Amino acid sequence: FWGCIQGLRGAYYIAEGLGPNRAAPRSRLYSLNCLDWSLLTPATKEMLALAEQLNGRFQGDPSFEYNLADINAEVAARLIEGGKEPVIKEEARLIATIEQIDRAVGIVPRGAFVKTPLGSVHENRHFEGLSLLEAKKLSSYFHFTEPVNLKNKTLLEKADLDPSTDFLDSLEHDIPRGSWSIQLEKGGTVVVLRSLLWLGLTFYHVPMTKQFGYVYFGTGEKNLDLPFML
């Protein structure tokens, strides 16, 4: 279960399917009633670009159409030139939003996954959880997506990294700084990270165990005011 995006007229309940290779594209399903599930198509670059033009709440109706001519005339004109209608369905916006959230704030503890020499990513059978000291640091958590900052590191910085476990970007360099809140709950036995950029994303890890995960319960809107709130 991935989470829930709350719309004005209904909510989207979302589930993700993962294969043995965790770096492979995920299968995503959504439901309006938790009984009937529909498979979502993979997100495309165009879908992500168009979804960024939209703001405001989701309606809760997958067939609802947003008219881009009312939102961004330039983008709408480009679509018309390409022989496409200047509209985007809410289902496409849902696909793009889930992808954006997974890329931006989908996180895992350091060492939970290993990368093989062939490039596939698998669960680390030797991972026994972070120590309580390590679990309190942002540098102990990684974005589970294609790294960006890692490629920009110098050879000296990479010298201390283990290529099989340190193949992702850590949270310590996230922009804006302060976009994560770390809290200890249940008397310090559970570490909880909450994203202030995508409000509603909560990650948990029980130190010294293999238990970790994240769930999203929100409106599917990015907190664009965050830089002014910090």
Side-chain angles (χ1 to χ4, degrees), residues 94-111:
L94 179 69
I95 293 166
T97 301
I98 297 167
E99 182 70 23
Q100 281 179 315
I101 292 171
D102 269 345
R103 284 187 191 180
V105 289
I107 60 175
V108 295
R110 181 177 185 265

Side-chain angles (χ1 to χ4, degrees), residues 46-212:
E46 186 188 28
M47 221 180 262
L48 290 164
L50 291 177
E52 281 187 5
Q53 304 296 324
L54 307 175
N55 49 38
R57 293 283 301 275
F58 276 78
Q59 297 298 311
D61 173 10
S63 58
F64 179 82
E65 292 186 342
Y66 297 91
N67 189 347
L68 290 165
D70 300 334
I71 300 161
N72 189 322
E74 194 180 322
V75 171
R78 225 170 23 239
L79 284 171
I80 293 166
E81 276 176 30
K84 295 175 183 173
E85 283 190 63
V87 294
I88 178 171
K89 282 195 172 182
E90 182 150 286
E91 189 177 72
R93 184 189 180 189
L94 179 69
I95 293 166
T97 301
I98 297 167
E99 182 70 23
Q100 281 179 315
I101 292 171
D102 269 345
R103 284 187 191 180
V105 289
I107 60 175
V108 295
R110 181 177 185 265
F113 294 92
V114 288
K115 189 174 188 178
T116 66
L118 297 172
S120 58
V121 176
H122 300 277
E123 280 187 40
N124 184 359
R125 292 179 184 176
H126 303 293
F127 177 69
E128 294 297 336
L130 299 170
S131 67
L132 186 58
L133 186 67
E134 289 295 314
K136 294 178 191 173
K137 299 176 184 173
L138 272 182
S139 57
S140 298
Y141 301 96
F142 291 156
H143 288 282
F144 200 49
T145 186
E146 193 66 31
V148 178
N149 296 331
L150 191 66
K151 293 170 184 172
N152 301 329
K153 286 195 172 185
T154 63
L155 289 172
L156 195 63
E157 288 173 312
K158 287 180 181 176
D160 297 329
L161 302 179
D162 181 343
S164 65
T165 53
D166 299 319
F167 58 93
L168 301 165
D169 285 336
S170 82
L171 269 57
E172 62 180 331
H173 302 300
D174 278 15
I175 298 170
R177 285 183 181 273
S179 60
W180 289 96
S181 116
I182 298 187
Q183 289 155 341
L184 295 175
E185 298 192 4
K186 281 199 167 183
T189 57
V190 181
V191 179
V192 174
L193 275 76
R194 292 185 174 90
S195 172
L196 304 179
L197 187 63
W198 288 94
L199 296 168
L201 189 287
T202 304
F203 169 89
Y204 72 91
H205 175 48
V206 181
M208 308 304 291
T209 75
K210 294 186 175 189
Q211 294 179 46
F212 68 88

